Amino acid sequence: MRRRVATFVAAALLLSIAGPAFAGHPASIASPERTAATAPAAARAATTADPTGRWIVVYKNGTNVAATSARLAKAGRFTVDRTFKSAFRGLTAKLTPRQVRSVRKDPAVASVVRDEKIELAAQLIPTGIDRISGRLSDAANIDGVDERVDADVAIVDTGIASVADLNVAGGYNCSTTNRSLLRDVQGHGTHVAGTVGAIDNGSGVVGVAPGVRLWAVKILDDSGSGLLSWYVCGLDWIAAQRDPLDPTRPMIESVNMSVTKWGQDDHDCGNTNDDILHQAICRVVAGGITVVAAAANDSGSAAARVPAAYNEVITVSALADSDGKPGALGGPRCFSWGSYDDDDSFANFSNFGSDVDIIAPGKCIWSTVPGGYQYMSGTSMAAPHVSGAAALLKAMRPNLTPADVKQALQDLGTLDWKITSDPDPYHEKLLNVSRIAPRGVSVIGTK
């Protein structure tokens, strides 16, 4: 492996900043990434499957379930949740310790058992990972065995929560004076981080670059708002971090920036229009770090949003994919941003135009959040697929420049999506990581 984890560093995670947001003006999540309104029961269960105070009452054989349950509930003054008559006879209910003691004494009761929370034993492969052929990449090696990708990704965002499925190596907080406060209350940064690099350990979910070292660069506060000065603070910190084994190299392979503001590219690295954000990003990229930016969610031109408009970054639009497969056969299974999008189509909220470099899944993406997992939609969910892919590529080819990385990911992409749904004539390639392979195997080429 190329290197070990450094003592400290920040994972950059970014969100969509509301415009206009210039120096001295607050920035916030503009058109915030939506949670799927019709998330399946598995998603909702994260907040409802609480076993606290819940008990299963098992009756003796031959007991009249309806009559006994009604009698016990009336005597104990509790509400019956469910009754059972086939696999066993009994009920479930939320009971106080005193009610449990009383029920246990009833002659019709065989036992009273604590309810327990159960979870999937298997690891879920999100549809976005499947749609970019993540399981076919020898570099990712997704097989349920924890073998981590040797690279570092900065998540410039709301922070990253402490989640067992994430390898958070450290970070830097620009939103308060407590530089080590990397927590994520809002949830956006943690969701982005999971798509980039959730660990391939047989449980939870898995990311594009499983187990990659994640650095939380917190540029937004707990409400999802921030300042331009916080943004450039995060970039300054990223640029300063060096590979502990080779100080001539940067420590960070790729930066995920899912935060945007209104602005334009002066095609002069911000020197003509005094764009400090552009100047900072150009210095980061010149230092050998690949920067990935969300196209933003205005259903308009990405040329009006920065950093999406900058030529130096990889700008990502969002694909609506419902089944993780090509062919547009998945149907409209997911509702968010006010509609069901057709499978394999350009997401109706995504920005577009010639500034967009690549497209990736961004609607109803299942990933980590503080305390569990959740669906979210937005170009903020598309960008981390590309940030993870850039980390995979750099782990295999550490000498590639940011321009090389962009070109390689575009060359490896495919037009196997409904390009007729693209609102412009510039049909970007769909991210495909299947041919990102260990060193010694050719990866560059068209498809």
Side-chain angles (χ1 to χ4, degrees):
M1 307 301 279
R2 188 162 56 85
R3 60 170 177 260
R4 307 300 295 175
V5 180
T7 304
F8 65 91
V9 73
L13 316 137
L14 297 100
L15 299 127
S16 299
I17 298 180
F22 301 101
H25 294 274
S28 61
I29 302 174
S31 303
E33 283 60 34
R34 314 285 179 85
T35 301
T38 55
R44 298 193 299 270
T47 58
T48 60
D50 182 0
T52 305
R54 296 192 175 276
W55 296 82
I56 304 170
V57 179
V58 182
Y59 298 149
K60 294 176 181 177
N61 291 336
T63 300
N64 184 309
V65 173
T68 302
S69 298
R71 177 174 59 79
L72 289 175
K74 183 178 180 180
R77 296 183 179 181
F78 62 82
T79 301
V80 175
D81 185 11
R82 295 178 178 86
T83 59
F84 308 93
K85 295 186 291 185
S86 300
F88 71 96
R89 293 172 180 263
L91 65 82
T92 62
K94 192 165 187 175
L95 305 174
T96 66
R98 186 173 183 176
Q99 290 168 330
V100 172
R101 290 193 296 269
S102 176
V103 169
R104 277 188 172 136
K105 294 177 182 178
D106 193 281
V109 174
S111 63
V112 182
V113 182
R114 286 184 183 275
D115 206 349
E116 296 180 47
K117 186 174 182 178
I118 60 172
E119 298 176 330
L120 291 172
Q123 176 173 262
L124 177 68
I125 308 295
T127 54
I129 304 301
D130 270 337
R131 191 62 184 87
I132 65 169
S133 301
R135 282 195 271 192
L136 301 180
S137 170
D138 289 338
N141 193 28
I142 297 175
D143 58 3
V145 179
D146 186 1
E147 297 174 331
R148 303 181 182 187
V149 174
D150 184 23
D152 299 86
V153 179
I155 310 295
V156 181
D157 216 293
T158 56
I160 306 178
S162 179
V163 176
D165 225 3
L166 302 178
N167 177 21
V168 182
Y172 195 74
N173 174 27
C174 291
S175 68
T176 70
T177 56
N178 184 352
R179 301 308 185 196
S180 62
L181 186 65
L182 308 178
R183 71 182 186 187
D184 178 19
V185 174
Q186 203 275 342
H188 187 278
T190 304
H191 195 280
V192 166
T195 298
V196 170
I199 300 169
D200 183 22
N201 57 2
S203 64
V205 295
V206 65
V208 179
V212 70
R213 292 179 293 275
L214 298 164
W215 300 94
V217 179
K218 184 174 173 63
I219 64 159
L220 300 176
D221 62 21
D222 292 344
S223 70
S225 298
L227 297 173
L228 178 58
S229 57
W230 299 355
Y231 208 149
V232 295
C233 163
L235 290 167
D236 183 70
W237 186 87
I238 291 167
Q241 306 313 304
R242 313 308 299 170
D243 186 328
L245 299 183
D246 183 358
T248 66
R249 302 176 62 89
M251 184 174 70
I252 304 296
E253 268 72 38
S254 71
V255 177
N256 189 88
M257 306 181 78
S258 294
V259 180
T260 74
K261 74 178 189 71
W262 299 102
Q264 295 180 324
D265 185 355
D266 66 355
H267 304 288
D268 187 30
C269 273
N271 294 312
T272 298
N273 62 357
D274 293 326
D275 184 347
I276 188 174
L277 178 62
H278 199 180
Q279 293 170 11
I281 287 177
C282 281
R283 292 189 180 102
V284 168
V285 173
I289 302 170
T290 298
V291 176
V292 177
N297 311 312
D298 310 306
S299 303
S301 174
R305 287 280 194 168
V306 294
Y310 301 154
N311 286 337
E312 293 77 19
V313 307
I314 302 176
T315 302
V316 187
S317 59
L319 180 79
D321 171 77
S322 61
D323 61 0
K325 301 174 183 178
L329 301 176
R333 298 183 183 178
C334 174
F335 183 88
S336 73
W337 288 87
S339 70
Y340 289 95
D341 278 351
D342 291 334
D343 185 34
D344 277 346
S345 67
F346 196 92
N348 57 2
F349 53 78
S350 178
N351 281 2
F352 50 82
S354 59
D355 285 299
V356 175
D357 300 300
I358 200 163
I359 190 169
K363 186 155 187 174
C364 295
I365 302 300
W366 183 251
S367 187
T368 49
V369 292
Y373 303 86
Q374 184 175 300
Y375 287 104
M376 289 189 187
S377 295
T379 55
S380 284
M381 283 62 253
H385 288 88
V386 179
S387 299
L392 272 184
L393 195 57
K394 285 286 286 184
M396 300 299 102
R397 305 288 191 280
N399 293 322
L400 292 182
T401 67
D404 293 335
V405 172
K406 179 191 285 192
Q407 188 64 58
L409 293 180
Q410 289 176 319
D411 288 346
L412 292 168
T414 172
L415 288 175
D416 191 11
W417 61 282
K418 290 173 63 175
I419 59 174
T420 54
S421 65
D422 194 341
D424 63 44
Y426 312 102
H427 304 319
E428 55 265 37
K429 295 280 192 74
L430 171 64
L431 179 68
N432 187 307
V433 301
S434 63
R435 292 190 294 153
I436 298 181
R439 301 173 199 182
V441 180
S442 175
V443 298
I444 309 300
T446 57
K447 184 175 181 179

